[in-house]
Amino acid sequence: MNTSSETAILGGGCFWCLEAVYQQLKGVQHVESGYTGGHVNKPTYEQVCNGDTGHAEVVKLTFDPAVISFREILEVFFTIHDPTTLNRQGNDVGTQYRSVIYYDSPAQQDTAKHIIAEMALVWDAPIVTELSPVETYYKAEDYHQNYFQQHPFQGYCAFVVAPKLAKFREVFAEKSKDD
């Protein structure tokens, strides 16, 4: 039995969207919403939303590389958000919603560079996704964890998160835990 796991930290807009999708991906063992990339110690959601802390809303994934590779995780990432809009995903605007990949090894950095180069050939506009080394990560408040699962009919969840989840299930049906 493989007991090894790896971690990935990704920002692609509101963390509720990424969390809901990655919770459905085979090989992902745990998903946690949080903040990283800023200059304030232990920021709150309100501080991050103001856009003054420098943090991005991110998800921290723990995954089994024997089941799913970091590359596959990034393929999903580039399918479920728009990596061409600087500091914006839909109506969510600000640096806290930036597209960013935080790597924790040279192998992850190399994989991310290759995927970004490949995605530049797929998208009609330039890729603005940042590639940065892992910084101090802070877990978001408890009420943000498993948000979509707990509030599927809340307006934002129904009109923003649910369509991203549906797109994931359509494009990556074979990788979905529902499969």
Side-chain angles (χ1 to χ4, degrees), residues 117-163:
E118 290 171 21
M119 290 298 113
L121 303 174
V122 173
W123 288 86
D124 292 336
I127 302 295
V128 296
T129 303
E130 295 175 15
L131 183 56
S132 300
V134 169
E135 298 184 31
T136 303
Y137 166 85
Y138 300 98
K139 180 181 176 183
E141 295 81 353
D142 287 344
Y143 69 92
H144 289 296
Q145 309 305 322
N146 301 306
Y147 195 85
F148 180 75
Q149 288 178 359
Q150 295 178 39
H151 309 283
F153 302 110
Q154 185 258 9
Y156 188 91
C157 290
F159 294 106
V160 179
V161 181

Side-chain angles (χ1 to χ4, degrees), residues 55-74:
H55 290 87
E57 287 192 18
V58 297
V59 289
K60 182 178 180 181
L61 314 173
T62 304
F63 65 97
D64 182 347
V67 177
I68 189 156
S69 68
F70 183 64
R71 177 184 180 81
E72 291 170 302
I73 285 171
L74 294 183

